[in-house]
Each structure stands twice: as structure tokens, then as C-alpha cells.
């Protein structure tokens, strides 16, 4: 097999490995997000950070709304998102006595996508960096 053919094969394997890693990470993130509460703290669905209750205070400052109608959707004090008749604008709540935080489905989707993309990029970067390091040390033998 020629050197060029070997390089193409290695590139194809690296691309496949990266895709498989992304699929594993997406599954792991879905499992992580199901573990909501831990002793007075709640995991923010949007950024995966752990915050004291009510998590909606964090959401107000870290994940601002767009100001349009919330579409009857929002988060309760424990970070559960629901479409159960909330009235108000996206970004309302999350301060003072308001332990709820209103967010439209478009803003929620935007924040969820941004968080997942950042996590995937970081994990894939580390995976590829480790693969290069392993290949380099194998060549040095």
C-alpha cells in the first residue's frame, strides 16, 4: 500500500473516530442533564453549571431572554422547563420573590445549542490532541 493510500486511510479513520466520539458525548450529556438536583443545588439545563436554588436567579443573569412573549413557557425554581401557561415576556422573573424564569422556546433552543456545541468542540479537541500525542510517542519508539 502506498504512503498516500495509508494517509488517506488514517485520515478516514480519524474522521470516523471523531464522529463516534461526538455521538458518545451527545449521549453522555443527555444522561448528565437527567441528574437535576444535588443537595440544595440545581444543574442549569442551559450551561450545565451547578447553582444554589433557585437556579432561575442564575438564569436571569447568564441567559437573558429576548423580551418577546415567552409563549407560555418557562423554568420553575428547580430548573424544570415547562409550557404550562406562564404569562409574560421572555426574560421575566428570576429575581426577588420571583423564583420562576420565563423563556421562549427559541431562546431555550439557542442556549441549548450553544452549550452543546461548546462542549462538543472542547471534547473533540481534547480527543484529537490526545490521539496526536499518542501517535507522536508511537513514532518515537
Amino acid at each position: 500500500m502506498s504512503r498516500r493510500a495509508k494517509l488517506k486511510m488514517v485520515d478516514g479513520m480519524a474522521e470516523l473516530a471523531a464522529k463516534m466520539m461526538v455521538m458518545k458525548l451527545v449521549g453522555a450529556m443527555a444522561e448528565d442533564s437527567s441528574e437535576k438536583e444535588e443537595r440544595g443545588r440545581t444543574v442549569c439545563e442551559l450551561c450545565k453549571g451547578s447553582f444554589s436554588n433557585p437556579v432561575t436567579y442564575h438564569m436571569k443573569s447568564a441567559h437573558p431572554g429576548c423580551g418577546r412573549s415567552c409563549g407560555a413557557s418557562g423554568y420553575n425554581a428547580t430548573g424544570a422547563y415547562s409550557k404550562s401557561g406562564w404569562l409574560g415576556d421572555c426574560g421575566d422573573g428570576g429575581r426577588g420573590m420571583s423564583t420562576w424564569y420565563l423563556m421562549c422556546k427559541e431562546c431555550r433552543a439557542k442556549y441549548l445549542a450553544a452549550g452543546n456545541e461548546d462542549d462538543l468542540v472542547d471534547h473533540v479537541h481534547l480527543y484529537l490532541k490526545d490521539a496526536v500525542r499518542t501517535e507522536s510517542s508511537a513514532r518515537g519508539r
Side-chain angles (χ1 to χ4, degrees):
M1 186 182 287
S2 72
R3 179 169 169 75
R4 176 176 274 174
K6 285 181 184 178
L7 288 174
K8 271 188 166 182
M9 186 172 75
V10 168
D11 284 346
M13 289 171 38
E15 184 178 343
L16 178 61
K19 286 180 182 177
M20 289 172 62
M21 183 67 161
V22 167
M23 289 171 52
K24 273 185 173 180
L25 291 170
V26 168
M29 283 189 286
E31 289 174 16
D32 288 345
S33 66
S34 67
E35 299 171 12
K36 278 283 192 189
E37 290 187 48
E38 62 175 67
R39 202 171 187 98
R41 298 183 68 78
T42 302
V43 174
C44 174
E45 176 191 42
L46 304 175
C47 67
K48 309 297 186 254
S50 178
F51 302 92
S52 58
N53 290 332
V55 69
T56 52
Y57 289 1
H58 150 75
M59 291 178 155
K60 175 76 173 179
S61 59
H63 311 294
C66 63
R68 296 188 304 255
S69 170
C70 72
S73 302
Y75 288 90
N76 66 17
T78 60
Y81 187 79
S82 67
K83 186 173 180 171
S84 57
W86 298 101
L87 294 175
D89 296 326
C90 179
D92 285 353
R95 64 176 170 222
M97 298 302 290
S98 303
T99 57
W100 43 266
Y101 183 62
L102 304 183
M103 183 172 281
C104 67
K105 64 182 181 181
E106 292 83 7
C107 284
R108 178 176 181 243
K110 175 184 77 171
Y111 286 119
L112 287 172
N116 289 339
E117 287 172 8
D118 290 345
D119 287 346
L120 290 175
V121 168
D122 290 344
H123 288 295
V124 170
H125 175 73
L126 290 173
Y127 173 78
L128 293 175
K129 186 177 177 181
D130 189 46
V132 168
R133 188 178 318 126
T134 303
E135 184 180 329
S136 295
S137 65
R139 285 184 187 166
R141 289 183 198 172

